[in-house]
Amino acid sequence: MKILMVCLGNICRSPLAHGILQHMVLDKGLGWIVDSAGTGDWHVGHAPDHRSIAVAKRNGVDISGQRAQHFTEILFEDYDLILVMDRQNYKDVIGLARNREQKDKVHLFLKDDVVPDPYFDDMLFDPVYKMVEKRCKELLLELS
């Protein structure tokens, strides 16, 4: 199983989802690959936002080694499941899909809701972490 988490800049939400699920996958001894990307390219090569690193660390997850990458159409070929954090991310990723098979790989991370972007509000990082952690636990059960 190869899963890609996607948000806008790949520095807040998707690195958290990537790190949390990867941590859980390793704990369970599953051979899954988990990664993340952003629909925008302005943070490519950068580490996650320091607030995402901090909230993950407080919860026993190290995401400091991640580096942002830009979502491009080539990533459709590399992943079985592409989970996006909000509806704009969904629209942007679907817009790059070339066929039904690629479109069918793309889903909202929270099924019928969105993960709020904490970038402009420091107070959102803890609630976003908890929201993402809860969904990652559900994903682990659903997919294994």
Side-chain angles (χ1 to χ4, degrees):
M1 174 73 63
K2 295 179 181 178
I3 302 169
L4 184 68
M5 307 295 190
V6 180
C7 70
L8 181 61
N10 193 208
I11 60 167
C12 293
R13 296 170 291 174
S14 59
L16 284 173
H18 168 183
I20 293 166
L21 186 60
Q22 184 172 44
H23 182 79
M24 292 175 180
V25 162
L26 290 172
D27 279 353
K28 295 286 186 188
L30 301 171
W32 299 0
I33 294 171
V34 183
D35 205 351
S36 59
T39 58
D41 64 358
W42 50 89
H43 296 295
V44 169
H46 297 179
D49 185 285
H50 67 94
R51 297 164 296 177
S52 286
I53 292 172
V55 73
K57 185 176 182 179
R58 284 194 303 273
N59 288 279
V61 177
D62 182 9
I63 64 169
S64 63
Q66 293 182 24
R67 294 297 175 261
Q69 67 175 327
H70 184 220
F71 185 89
T72 60
E73 59 274 352
I74 194 75
L75 294 178
F76 283 110
E77 302 308 319
D78 295 338
Y79 294 93
D80 305 307
L81 184 60
I82 299 169
L83 299 172
V84 299
M85 299 296 137
D86 64 37
R87 287 177 181 83
Q88 185 61 53
N89 302 149
Y90 183 86
K91 182 178 176 183
D92 292 341
V93 171
I94 287 290
L96 294 174
R98 289 177 266 172
N99 56 49
R100 173 55 50 198
E101 180 184 348
Q102 290 178 345
K103 288 179 181 178
D104 288 346
K105 292 180 178 187
V106 184
H107 304 275
L108 282 173
F109 179 77
L110 291 179
K111 292 185 182 177
D112 297 321
D113 202 359
V114 299
V115 178
D117 190 344
Y119 186 78
F120 293 107
D121 185 350
D122 292 350
M123 301 304 292
L124 283 177
F125 280 86
D126 283 309
V128 163
Y129 183 93
K130 296 299 181 198
M131 180 184 299
V132 170
E133 180 183 49
K134 179 179 184 282
R135 180 64 182 131
C136 285
K137 288 177 182 176
E138 294 167 359
L139 282 168
L140 202 58
L141 291 173
E142 290 170 15
L143 299 173
S144 57

